[in-house]
PDB file of all heavy atoms in Angstrom:
ATOM      1  N   HIS B  31     -42.183 -39.017 -29.631  1.00 69.00           N
ATOM      2  CA  HIS B  31     -42.117 -39.038 -31.065  1.00 69.00           C
ATOM      3  C   HIS B  31     -41.028 -40.057 -31.479  1.00 69.00           C
ATOM      4  O   HIS B  31     -39.887 -39.738 -31.553  1.00 69.00           O
ATOM      5  CB  HIS B  31     -41.692 -37.673 -31.608  1.00 69.00           C
ATOM      6  CG  HIS B  31     -42.612 -36.595 -31.117  1.00 69.00           C
ATOM      7  ND1 HIS B  31     -43.890 -36.414 -31.606  1.00 69.00           N
ATOM      8  CD2 HIS B  31     -42.480 -35.645 -30.185  1.00 69.00           C
ATOM      9  CE1 HIS B  31     -44.459 -35.410 -31.005  1.00 69.00           C
ATOM     10  NE2 HIS B  31     -43.622 -34.925 -30.126  1.00 69.00           N
ATOM     11  N   PRO B  32     -41.417 -41.275 -31.686  1.00 75.00           N
ATOM     12  CA  PRO B  32     -40.425 -42.318 -31.977  1.00 75.00           C
ATOM     13  C   PRO B  32     -39.663 -42.108 -33.277  1.00 75.00           C
ATOM     14  O   PRO B  32     -38.490 -42.469 -33.409  1.00 75.00           O
ATOM     15  CB  PRO B  32     -41.247 -43.626 -32.008  1.00 75.00           C
ATOM     16  CG  PRO B  32     -42.630 -43.182 -32.256  1.00 75.00           C
ATOM     17  CD  PRO B  32     -42.795 -41.802 -31.702  1.00 75.00           C
ATOM     18  N   GLY B  33     -40.308 -41.422 -34.229  1.00 85.00           N
ATOM     19  CA  GLY B  33     -39.649 -41.153 -35.485  1.00 85.00           C
ATOM     20  C   GLY B  33     -38.486 -40.200 -35.372  1.00 85.00           C
ATOM     21  O   GLY B  33     -37.598 -40.154 -36.191  1.00 85.00           O
ATOM     22  N   ARG B  34     -38.549 -39.391 -34.277  1.00 86.00           N
ATOM     23  CA  ARG B  34     -37.555 -38.320 -34.167  1.00 86.00           C
ATOM     24  C   ARG B  34     -36.093 -38.870 -34.065  1.00 86.00           C
ATOM     25  O   ARG B  34     -35.191 -38.352 -34.730  1.00 86.00           O
ATOM     26  CB  ARG B  34     -37.867 -37.522 -32.928  1.00 86.00           C
ATOM     27  CG  ARG B  34     -37.035 -36.297 -32.759  1.00 86.00           C
ATOM     28  CD  ARG B  34     -37.138 -35.729 -31.390  1.00 86.00           C
ATOM     29  NE  ARG B  34     -38.401 -35.091 -31.119  1.00 86.00           N
ATOM     30  CZ  ARG B  34     -38.718 -34.578 -29.981  1.00 86.00           C
ATOM     31  NH1 ARG B  34     -37.863 -34.652 -28.969  1.00 86.00           N
ATOM     32  NH2 ARG B  34     -39.895 -34.066 -29.754  1.00 86.00           N
ATOM     33  N   MET B  35     -35.913 -39.923 -33.322  1.00 89.00           N
ATOM     34  CA  MET B  35     -34.586 -40.462 -33.196  1.00 89.00           C
ATOM     35  C   MET B  35     -34.061 -41.006 -34.511  1.00 89.00           C
ATOM     36  O   MET B  35     -32.881 -40.822 -34.820  1.00 89.00           O
ATOM     37  CB  MET B  35     -34.545 -41.568 -32.120  1.00 89.00           C
ATOM     38  CG  MET B  35     -34.754 -41.052 -30.717  1.00 89.00           C
ATOM     39  SD  MET B  35     -33.801 -39.609 -30.371  1.00 89.00           S
ATOM     40  CE  MET B  35     -32.178 -40.268 -30.416  1.00 89.00           C
ATOM     41  N   GLY B  36     -34.996 -41.619 -35.239  1.00 91.00           N
ATOM     42  CA  GLY B  36     -34.573 -42.111 -36.595  1.00 91.00           C
ATOM     43  C   GLY B  36     -34.034 -40.991 -37.436  1.00 91.00           C
ATOM     44  O   GLY B  36     -32.962 -41.040 -38.024  1.00 91.00           O
ATOM     45  N   ILE B  37     -34.866 -39.930 -37.500  1.00 92.00           N
ATOM     46  CA  ILE B  37     -34.446 -38.782 -38.321  1.00 92.00           C
ATOM     47  C   ILE B  37     -33.124 -38.182 -37.863  1.00 92.00           C
ATOM     48  O   ILE B  37     -32.223 -37.902 -38.654  1.00 92.00           O
ATOM     49  CB  ILE B  37     -35.538 -37.680 -38.270  1.00 92.00           C
ATOM     50  CG1 ILE B  37     -36.805 -38.190 -38.934  1.00 92.00           C
ATOM     51  CG2 ILE B  37     -35.070 -36.411 -38.948  1.00 92.00           C
ATOM     52  CD1 ILE B  37     -37.979 -37.298 -38.788  1.00 92.00           C
ATOM     53  N   PHE B  38     -32.991 -38.102 -36.495  1.00 92.00           N
ATOM     54  CA  PHE B  38     -31.754 -37.547 -35.994  1.00 92.00           C
ATOM     55  C   PHE B  38     -30.549 -38.415 -36.412  1.00 92.00           C
ATOM     56  O   PHE B  38     -29.543 -37.859 -36.850  1.00 92.00           O
ATOM     57  CB  PHE B  38     -31.784 -37.450 -34.467  1.00 92.00           C
ATOM     58  CG  PHE B  38     -30.481 -37.069 -33.864  1.00 92.00           C
ATOM     59  CD1 PHE B  38     -29.983 -35.771 -33.984  1.00 92.00           C
ATOM     60  CD2 PHE B  38     -29.645 -38.017 -33.242  1.00 92.00           C
ATOM     61  CE1 PHE B  38     -28.746 -35.432 -33.486  1.00 92.00           C
ATOM     62  CE2 PHE B  38     -28.423 -37.687 -32.743  1.00 92.00           C
ATOM     63  CZ  PHE B  38     -27.968 -36.351 -32.859  1.00 92.00           C
ATOM     64  N   PHE B  39     -30.669 -39.742 -36.280  1.00 93.00           N
ATOM     65  CA  PHE B  39     -29.481 -40.565 -36.533  1.00 93.00           C
ATOM     66  C   PHE B  39     -29.110 -40.559 -38.011  1.00 93.00           C
ATOM     67  O   PHE B  39     -27.941 -40.523 -38.353  1.00 93.00           O
ATOM     68  CB  PHE B  39     -29.673 -41.964 -36.035  1.00 93.00           C
ATOM     69  CG  PHE B  39     -29.403 -42.086 -34.540  1.00 93.00           C
ATOM     70  CD1 PHE B  39     -30.397 -42.485 -33.671  1.00 93.00           C
ATOM     71  CD2 PHE B  39     -28.166 -41.713 -34.059  1.00 93.00           C
ATOM     72  CE1 PHE B  39     -30.136 -42.563 -32.331  1.00 93.00           C
ATOM     73  CE2 PHE B  39     -27.939 -41.788 -32.687  1.00 93.00           C
ATOM     74  CZ  PHE B  39     -28.888 -42.203 -31.826  1.00 93.00           C
ATOM     75  N   VAL B  40     -30.173 -40.515 -38.872  1.00 94.00           N
ATOM     76  CA  VAL B  40     -29.858 -40.435 -40.301  1.00 94.00           C
ATOM     77  C   VAL B  40     -29.120 -39.083 -40.588  1.00 94.00           C
ATOM     78  O   VAL B  40     -28.061 -39.049 -41.261  1.00 94.00           O
ATOM     79  CB  VAL B  40     -31.138 -40.516 -41.136  1.00 94.00           C
ATOM     80  CG1 VAL B  40     -30.892 -40.165 -42.593  1.00 94.00           C
ATOM     81  CG2 VAL B  40     -31.746 -41.914 -41.037  1.00 94.00           C
ATOM     82  N   GLY B  41     -29.675 -37.996 -40.048  1.00 93.00           N
ATOM     83  CA  GLY B  41     -29.054 -36.689 -40.263  1.00 93.00           C
ATOM     84  C   GLY B  41     -27.646 -36.628 -39.691  1.00 93.00           C
ATOM     85  O   GLY B  41     -26.718 -36.125 -40.373  1.00 93.00           O
ATOM     86  N   ALA B  42     -27.523 -37.150 -38.484  1.00 94.00           N
ATOM     87  CA  ALA B  42     -26.171 -37.078 -37.837  1.00 94.00           C
ATOM     88  C   ALA B  42     -25.161 -37.878 -38.615  1.00 94.00           C
ATOM     89  O   ALA B  42     -24.003 -37.446 -38.819  1.00 94.00           O
ATOM     90  CB  ALA B  42     -26.258 -37.600 -36.381  1.00 94.00           C
TER      91      ALA B  42
END
Side-chain angles (χ1 to χ4, degrees):
Chain B
H31 306 285
R34 187 194 288 177
M35 290 316 291
I37 295 173
F38 171 73
F39 279 120
V40 170

